[in-house]
Amino acid sequence: MINPVAFEIGPFSIRWYALCIVAGLVLAVYLAMKEAPKKKILSDDILDFILIAFPVAILGARLYYVLFRLDYYLQNPGEIIAIWNGGLAIYGGLIAGAIVLYIFADRKLINTWDFLDIAAPSVMVAQSLGRWGNFFNQEAYGAAVDSLDYLPGFIRDQMYIDGSYRQPTFLYESVWNLIGFALILIFRRKLKGIRRGHITAFYLIWYGFGRMIIEGMRTDSLMFFGLRVSQWLSVVLIGLGIFIILYQN
């Protein structure tokens, strides 16, 4: 088992979970800043947006997670801020980030669709890296399986949890997002006449479909009235993506 703490600086522990999130953020910002000039958006606007959106997205991701496990956190209020132990719901971060993006673009007089099309692939690659934080924390896994011989040893060993090997659903989603990111890069280079919003629509449909399937494999999903919340939200994302394609056609 890999220690979830990467290293310590005096009394402070730096966890792999945090490093994965930060690595994803740095790469996302770099890619967005490279793409921004093509949409006549200033790189400084990308940085200004991230400085506002990142903490709000973290807050939204944690709030979302806490709300759907409110009974536990009402009994353990000291755990509410313990995000280093995991418990950041991606959908909560996406919702919070999208709200900040809309307000920011409106105030900066930036076309919202252009901003979204820049953000979508950056978010996707950040999600791909961020999922490895779940790997180090041994969370976001699936049902018990007999073996994981098709995986490298370090992943297989880390997925041995509670006496059984577990489906590495974190890995499935990480790879799915990475493939989606690669497809967006191909679309940008090879397809002519892509309309505003279509990259965003692809992200919504691709991520929503993958998350809907992979979420069904997990054993630690957030539930709402007996249903998996993320699967319902995935359906919403897919529908929204289809609507955008039709609306922006």
Side-chain angles (χ1 to χ4, degrees):
M1 175 181 170
I2 300 173
N3 191 333
V5 176
F7 56 90
E8 297 181 349
I9 303 176
F12 300 102
S13 297
I14 308 300
R15 302 175 72 92
W16 286 110
Y17 187 85
L19 292 178
C20 289
I21 292 175
V22 171
L25 174 67
V26 171
L27 181 56
V29 171
Y30 170 76
L31 293 172
M33 290 179 68
K34 291 273 288 184
E35 185 67 19
K38 299 177 184 178
K39 300 288 187 179
K40 297 182 180 180
I41 296 175
L42 298 176
S43 296
D44 285 348
D45 286 336
I46 299 297
L47 287 176
D48 290 343
F49 168 71
I50 290 298
L51 289 174
I52 301 170
F54 181 65
V56 173
I58 293 294
L59 180 62
R62 185 59 174 178
L63 180 61
Y64 182 104
Y65 187 88
V66 169
L67 286 176
F68 284 102
R69 294 191 171 176
L70 194 56
D71 289 344
Y72 170 80
Y73 286 105
L74 286 177
Q75 297 176 13
N76 303 274
E79 290 291 310
I80 292 177
I81 63 171
I83 62 173
W84 48 86
N85 292 327
L88 294 177
I90 289 176
Y91 275 131
L94 289 177
I95 293 169
I99 293 172
V100 173
L101 185 146
Y102 177 80
I103 296 172
F104 184 89
D106 182 65
R107 292 191 174 183
K108 288 283 188 175
L109 302 179
I110 299 171
N111 185 281
T112 304
W113 291 116
D114 285 343
F115 213 159
L116 284 169
D117 285 343
I118 290 172
S122 297
V123 169
M124 184 168 278
V125 77
Q127 288 174 310
S128 181
L129 281 174
R131 274 300 178 197
W132 284 86
N134 300 133
F135 163 75
F136 289 108
N137 273 4
Q138 291 187 308
E139 59 188 5
Y141 53 80
V145 293
D146 292 333
S147 70
L148 295 173
D149 291 340
Y150 61 95
L151 293 175
F154 77 98
I155 296 179
R156 185 170 60 246
D157 293 343
Q158 190 72 356
M159 286 295 97
Y160 191 77
I161 302 169
D162 295 334
S164 302
Y165 289 109
R166 301 283 178 166
Q167 285 277 15
T169 50
F170 85 90
L171 179 62
Y172 302 156
E173 188 171 331
S174 178
V175 172
W176 180 259
N177 288 336
L178 192 60
I179 293 172
F181 171 71
L183 288 175
I184 288 178
L185 295 185
I186 293 172
F187 294 158
R188 279 178 172 174
R189 291 190 176 188
K190 301 296 184 180
L191 297 183
K192 304 298 182 181
I194 297 179
R195 295 182 179 272
R196 281 173 166 167
H198 281 194
I199 292 295
T200 300
F202 174 81
Y203 165 78
L204 294 172
I205 295 170
W206 182 269
Y207 177 70
F209 180 77
R211 181 65 186 272
M212 180 173 60
I213 300 302
I214 295 169
E215 190 71 20
M217 304 178 187
R218 288 176 56 173
T219 58
D220 61 343
S221 300
L222 294 174
M223 307 297 289
F224 187 64
F225 288 107
L227 300 175
R228 297 175 189 270
V229 176
S230 291
Q231 288 183 311
W232 284 112
L233 285 175
S234 295
V235 172
V236 173
L237 288 191
I238 294 170
L240 182 58
I242 294 172
F243 174 79
I244 291 172
I245 291 175
L246 297 175
Y247 175 77
Q248 292 292 96
N249 193 7

